[in-house]
Amino acid sequence: VQLQASGGGLVQAGGSLRLSCAASGGTFSRLSMGWFRQVPGKEREFVAGIGWRGGNTYADSLKGRFTISRDNAKSILYLQMNSLEPEDTAVYYCAADLLSTTWSSSGMNYWGKGTLVTVSS
């Protein structure tokens, strides 16, 4: 499975961005898909996930601002990010696991290259 994230960029605090992750080489509908982010010097952290049979889960600190969704027909994962804060500045990665997952970064089998999100104050 190959994953390609896009949509990062520079945005002012309070703004919005939508990240996309295009998947290829596998059966997308059988993948649990997630977003993680990492700041230099810190561990990669879970942002949001959507299971292969549906069902969304979010990091507690992000609930209400971020929305994860998927389009199985197009094999694309999305992350809508609203009310962005400078603390959201990070490299965002999409990741996948076959069928069910625990949403731990060490457990995800497939990773894309990250896309940088920078939120200015």
Side-chain angles (χ1 to χ4, degrees):
V1 176
Q2 291 79 47
L3 305 173
Q4 180 64 54
S6 62
L10 174 64
V11 63
Q12 287 189 331
S16 298
L17 278 177
R18 188 176 79 158
L19 305 183
S20 299
C21 175
S24 61
T27 303
F28 186 76
S29 61
R30 292 172 64 81
L31 297 174
S32 287
M33 301 293 300
W35 289 98
F36 294 75
R37 67 185 184 184
Q38 188 168 25
V39 175
K42 294 189 176 181
E43 290 188 358
R44 192 169 297 186
E45 65 173 354
F46 172 75
V47 172
I50 183 166
W52 71 284
R53 290 188 291 189
N56 300 350
T57 185
Y58 297 92
D60 287 342
S61 61
L62 300 174
K63 282 182 180 177
R65 295 194 297 122
F66 290 12
T67 303
I68 190 171
S69 62
R70 65 191 295 162
D71 185 333
N72 285 350
K74 296 181 179 179
S75 298
I76 299 178
L77 175 73
Y78 299 102
L79 183 68
Q80 178 66 43
M81 306 186 293
N82 298 327
S83 302
L84 283 162
E85 303 169 353
E87 293 73 24
D88 296 318
T89 296
V91 177
Y92 284 72
Y93 298 89
C94 61
D97 205 356
L98 183 62
L99 301 177
S100 299
T101 183
T102 60
W103 301 118
S104 69
S105 59
S106 61
M108 303 302 284
N109 287 322
Y110 307 101
W111 290 88
K113 293 183 180 179
T115 186
L116 176 62
V117 172
T118 304
V119 184
S120 63
S121 56

